[in-house]
Amino acid sequence: MRVILQVTSGPSQGRRIPLQSGERARFGRSDTADVCFPDDLEMADVHFELQCHGDHCIVRDLNAVDATFLNSVAVSEAAVADGDQIVAGQTQLLTSFEGQFVQTPGAVKDPVPDPEPPKLSAAELCQLTDLEERSLELFRPSHSPEEFVRVLIENKQFADAVRILSLYLSKRQAILWAARAVDGVFPRELSVDEQSALDITLEWLQDSSDKNRRAAMAIAEAMDFDNAASCVAAAAFWSEGSMLPEEFDEVLPEETLSGKMVAAALMMTATEGQPATIPARYQEILKIGQEVLAEKDD
């Protein structure tokens, strides 16, 4: 589940803030807040927080002087539903839920379920991926994506299995796969900068703030995207949010860009070093990917 907060009124009108399930963010005028609105002079230094769980989202007022409003009602703590308006100072934020959101007993307000978007079929994944001729020959219309990946692995079409799985997994799951694989399978010790790229990516997975997302791109750019770890960090940046600096209008990345960067990172990991070890590294990488795929239903 993901919550999108769209600023509809106030000095930061047009700003878009994504929050992931499990994330807690404090909003306020000061840079001590996780999400800062420095131009809203009527907002407290730390005004309110939003905590997103797997099945519900809670807003809490943190300011003893000026209230936090949910749908024009001052609240100290309340459940937030899709389409609700949160107001603090001059800033008004519209909430929008993406992914499954189910009723929680005892919540102040029962949120409205929002169905998960449909997964891509194996045929659709083939259309999005430049597969080798042998891989296309192996494809059958009856294949599910998981079945097609297994067929590709059995026939040693490892690179194409990576390409398909990197687009079939959710963006966050694909990025987690790449981070684990680069950390565990890469055939040499990572440099300090490469390790830093993985560390900031893992931090972003735990705290999907725009600050962490942009920090991931900064280190990827510093390394000129020329190694696997930098591609993992770039995949995190291109998974959501705007590609442009915050002061410009939002420009979203192409939908498959993050997955393609994941695939690039994984193929760099598999093919660097001794050629004789490439098949074994591909198999280890794909084993990690299938473990991540299994984790989705946990």
Side-chain angles (χ1 to χ4, degrees):
M1 188 271 294
R2 186 169 79 152
V3 179
I4 304 297
L5 295 156
Q6 184 74 41
V7 180
T8 57
S9 180
S12 298
Q13 184 174 353
R15 185 176 175 184
R16 182 175 180 271
I17 303 139
L19 297 177
Q20 302 292 338
S21 177
E23 185 175 1
R24 175 187 294 179
R26 298 180 305 161
F27 294 69
R29 187 179 67 208
S30 167
D31 58 10
T32 60
D34 303 302
V35 182
C36 180
F37 296 86
D39 296 325
D40 188 342
L41 301 182
E42 295 182 13
M43 187 180 285
D45 287 349
V46 180
H47 202 113
F48 71 93
E49 75 172 9
L50 199 65
Q51 184 170 9
C52 301
H53 302 274
D55 60 353
H56 65 289
C57 193
I58 298 293
V59 61
R60 293 187 182 90
D61 180 56
L62 301 177
N63 177 36
V65 178
D66 297 310
T68 299
F69 295 87
L70 180 66
N71 299 327
S72 302
V73 177
V75 295
S76 57
E77 179 175 316
V80 179
D82 185 45
D84 278 352
Q85 301 274 358
I86 298 172
V87 177
Q90 298 173 297
T91 300
Q92 179 172 290
L93 304 105
L94 174 67
T95 63
S96 175
F97 295 140
E98 296 180 354
Q100 190 66 30
F101 199 80
V102 300
Q103 180 174 336
T104 302
V108 175
K109 182 182 290 185
D110 294 331
V112 178
D114 187 12
E116 293 182 355
K119 281 289 184 184
L120 293 173
S121 67
E124 290 170 326
L125 290 166
C126 288
Q127 293 173 351
L128 292 171
T129 312
D130 186 16
L131 299 179
E132 296 179 10
E133 184 176 348
R134 174 58 178 155
S135 298
L136 293 173
E137 292 172 352
L138 292 167
F139 174 71
R140 299 291 180 269
S142 61
H143 281 152
S144 69
E146 294 95 332
E147 290 169 339
F148 188 40
V149 168
R150 285 196 294 270
V151 168
L152 291 172
I153 295 172
E154 289 167 0
N155 287 271
K156 297 181 169 48
Q157 296 296 110
F158 300 129
D160 281 346
V162 165
R163 292 185 180 100
I164 292 293
L165 190 53
S166 66
L167 292 178
Y168 179 61
L169 288 166
S170 73
K171 292 174 186 176
R172 292 177 64 82
Q173 290 286 334
I175 293 162
L176 176 61
W177 172 27
R180 287 181 180 175
V182 174
D183 184 57
V185 182
F186 207 78
R188 61 167 172 78
E189 186 175 352
L190 298 177
S191 70
V192 172
D193 285 344
E194 287 171 328
Q195 189 60 56
S196 295
L198 291 189
D199 289 344
I200 188 59
T201 301
L202 292 172
E203 186 175 348
W204 171 81
L205 284 167
Q206 292 295 319
D207 175 11
S208 302
S209 65
D210 200 54
K211 177 182 177 181
N212 285 340
R213 186 180 70 93
R214 292 184 181 277
M217 177 51 86
I219 194 165
E221 290 177 331
M223 291 189 286
D224 293 325
F225 310 97
D226 65 354
N227 56 65
S230 66
C231 288
V232 177
F237 177 77
W238 282 321
S239 67
E240 62 184 18
S242 179
M243 296 188 296
L244 297 182
E246 290 180 296
E247 60 267 25
F248 294 97
D249 291 339
E250 183 179 67
V251 176
L252 298 178
E254 191 271 323
E255 185 64 24
T256 63
L257 181 57
S258 179
K260 289 177 179 178
M261 290 301 290
V262 163
L266 294 170
M267 285 187 277
M268 287 181 186
T269 301
T271 57
E272 182 162 324
Q274 294 296 323
T277 65
I278 290 175
R281 267 183 276 137
Y282 261 126
Q283 291 178 72
E284 182 63 26
I285 287 167
L286 286 160
K287 179 182 176 182
I288 295 170
Q290 289 177 310
E291 290 171 352
V292 171
L293 178 62
E295 289 173 7
K296 292 199 303 174
D297 295 325
D298 289 350

